[in-house]
Amino acid sequence: MTELAAVKTALKTQAVETPSWAYGNSGTRFKVFAQPGVPRNPREKLDDAAQVHAFTGAAPTVALHIPWDKVDDYGALAKYAQERGLKLGAINSNTFQDDDYRLGSICHPDAAVRRKALDHLLECVDIMDATGSKDLKLWFADGTNYPGQDDIRERQDRLAEGLAQVYERLGNDQRMLLEYKFFEPAFYMTDVPDWGTAYAHCLKLGPKAQVVVDTGHHAPGTNIEFIVATLLREGKLGAFDFNSRFYADDDLMVGAADPFQLFRIMYEVIRGGGFTPDVAFMLDQCHNIEAKIPAIIRSVMNVQEATAKALLVDGAALVDAQRTGDVLAANAVIMDAYNTDVRPLLGEVREELGLDADPVSAYRRSGWGEKIAAERVGGQQAGWGA
């Protein structure tokens, strides 16, 4: 097999999970701009997700968020997804939109509130059982705003205790994916603020606990690819939440702010043996002012383009330059791959899969956007908290 053929083969195996909430109305803390045709329930979200997969061939799973995607029969929802060529992916918990969680959820000083949060997390595992989902994704808004507000060590103890109870409930083929965010909404101290804290808890829990790297959840200047390389080296990288941010918030399309960073991350994924189903590539974005479905298609394409460039890095030339200490030659190998226009290559890959070479244009020609705008009239549009 030629090198180019091997790259094509690898690209055909890539899968990017799309988030159900990205198809609904969402936005900043100031305003949510509603759009025509937005789904009104989880099934309509899956209808839209099926369009993304149909045009990209690379988005076969959809992450759910509970309670935003709550239904009476999760088995029926999984069947509905399957009928549309999809599977239900990670189940995302929500312990940040209830008044009781003002001072935290599983880190809260009140045992009754911690029990409420734990019950919700265990409910999410029940949903995993019903849907066949393998991953439980946890993000906690827990933290404090003022020095002395609560005991930092005790909050870590409460966190460890809660995570351990959820971990014990997981099946043998299920995982816990722990996300981190260095601030917001807690401005003095966040209980899971960085990859080191997430890693420490996952290491203590065991092999079914893995770290999620959200590409928008880092301080400016953080070397995310170092984190990726280290977690892969330790066998603790479970998933990505792909998005982008310019300042401190994180819900822009992946690759929007720094496509070179996304390429560097994907290179470390491939270099570290992480280009496998064991590392989930998930989007975690909102689309506030742009049309949602084409934006999600474009996001999938951005991940594909970064991956294609990373696969084109000349590994032998890079190793040779590194071992001889040729700094400029080593950097040139990386830059040559990054500066390659991979769009024709990806177009060929799609056509070999029986798809249109240009997914965004193909979607726009399909008339799906006009169809749902005309049909989805009345009812309550889905959105954050809806």
Side-chain angles (χ1 to χ4, degrees):
M1 183 182 293
T2 66
E3 181 180 349
L4 189 59
V7 170
K8 284 186 174 182
T9 298
L11 289 169
K12 290 174 183 177
T13 68
Q14 187 167 35
V16 179
E17 184 163 299
T18 68
S20 67
W21 54 94
Y23 298 97
N25 286 322
S26 55
T28 69
R29 286 139 191 79
F30 307 106
K31 172 66 177 176
V32 174
F33 297 102
Q35 298 182 17
V38 164
R40 296 162 295 182
N41 55 61
R43 292 194 172 203
E44 291 183 347
K45 293 178 183 178
L46 291 174
D47 291 338
D48 288 354
Q51 295 297 307
V52 174
H53 184 45
F55 289 105
T56 64
T61 59
V62 181
L64 299 184
H65 205 296
I66 308 301
W68 300 344
D69 295 316
K70 199 163 189 175
V71 295
D72 294 331
D73 189 336
Y74 290 99
L77 187 65
K79 183 179 179 182
Y80 188 86
Q82 185 177 23
E83 291 169 350
R84 280 144 189 80
L86 302 170
K87 290 184 179 180
L88 299 182
I91 303 300
N92 290 252
S93 62
N94 184 320
T95 56
F96 52 87
Q97 284 193 313
D98 191 292
D99 286 346
D100 285 343
Y101 300 142
R102 182 170 59 92
L103 300 179
S105 59
I106 64 170
C107 300
H108 198 287
D110 187 331
V113 176
R114 296 199 299 274
R115 182 70 245 181
K116 176 178 178 177
L118 179 61
D119 287 344
H120 168 69
L121 301 182
L122 296 175
E123 175 194 13
C124 288
V125 182
D126 292 339
I127 294 170
M128 293 169 65
D129 293 339
T131 60
S133 301
K134 303 302 182 186
D135 292 334
L136 172 67
K137 189 144 72 69
L138 305 177
W139 172 72
F140 299 105
D142 293 37
T144 63
N145 280 354
Y146 297 98
Q149 178 180 324
D150 201 357
D151 188 283
I152 294 175
R153 289 174 59 94
E154 285 188 10
R155 291 182 73 90
Q156 287 296 305
D157 290 341
R158 298 168 200 155
L159 174 64
E161 180 182 358
L163 291 176
Q165 292 183 65
V166 178
Y167 186 91
E168 288 302 313
R169 171 63 182 81
L170 294 173
N172 292 331
D173 61 344
Q174 295 174 335
R175 302 188 302 176
M176 171 191 296
L177 302 176
L178 183 58
E179 190 176 346
Y180 57 89
K181 189 171 186 178
F182 78 108
F183 83 103
E184 194 210 27
F187 290 102
Y188 169 64
M189 183 278 300
T190 301
D191 289 303
V192 190
D194 51 43
W195 71 275
T197 305
Y199 171 74
H201 281 283
C202 288
L203 188 64
K204 186 173 183 179
L205 287 166
K208 293 185 290 186
Q210 302 272 18
V211 179
V212 178
V213 173
D214 186 306
T215 51
H217 285 191
H218 303 86
T222 299
N223 189 314
I224 300 174
E225 55 267 36
F226 170 82
I227 298 170
V228 171
T230 301
L231 289 173
L232 279 170
R233 183 172 178 270
E234 298 298 323
K236 279 296 182 182
L237 179 63
F240 284 95
D241 270 358
F242 281 132
N243 53 53
S244 192
R245 62 113 169 91
F246 285 95
Y247 294 100
D249 213 347
D250 67 330
D251 285 315
L252 298 176
M253 290 168 51
V254 59
D258 189 351
F260 184 44
Q261 180 190 67
L262 181 59
F263 158 77
R264 299 194 310 266
I265 289 170
M266 290 309 305
Y267 170 72
E268 291 301 335
V269 168
I270 293 164
R271 166 69 180 83
F275 194 60
T276 73
D278 292 333
V279 176
F281 301 127
M282 301 183 284
L283 302 181
D284 182 15
Q285 304 171 180
C286 78
H287 303 286
N288 190 25
I289 60 174
E290 66 270 29
K292 300 176 190 306
I293 298 174
I296 297 170
I297 291 174
R298 181 66 255 181
S299 298
V300 173
M301 294 170 66
N302 287 351
V303 176
Q304 290 178 307
E305 290 175 15
T307 304
K309 292 181 178 186
L311 287 165
L312 289 173
V313 171
D314 187 336
L318 183 60
V319 168
D320 183 64
Q322 290 171 340
R323 288 179 176 171
T324 59
D326 193 332
V327 175
L328 292 179
N331 179 249
V333 172
I334 293 294
M335 296 309 300
D336 284 346
Y338 176 69
N339 288 323
T340 301
D341 184 357
V342 296
R343 291 173 297 177
L345 171 64
L346 283 163
E348 291 178 15
V349 168
R350 295 183 186 110
E351 288 177 339
E352 290 174 8
L353 292 171
L355 304 173
D356 193 287
D358 184 346
V360 173
S361 295
Y363 168 75
R364 287 177 173 155
R365 291 194 306 270
S366 74
W368 181 261
E370 293 78 9
K371 178 179 182 291
I372 59 177
E375 292 180 353
R376 294 176 184 172
V377 177
Q380 183 177 4
Q381 290 186 322
W384 288 352

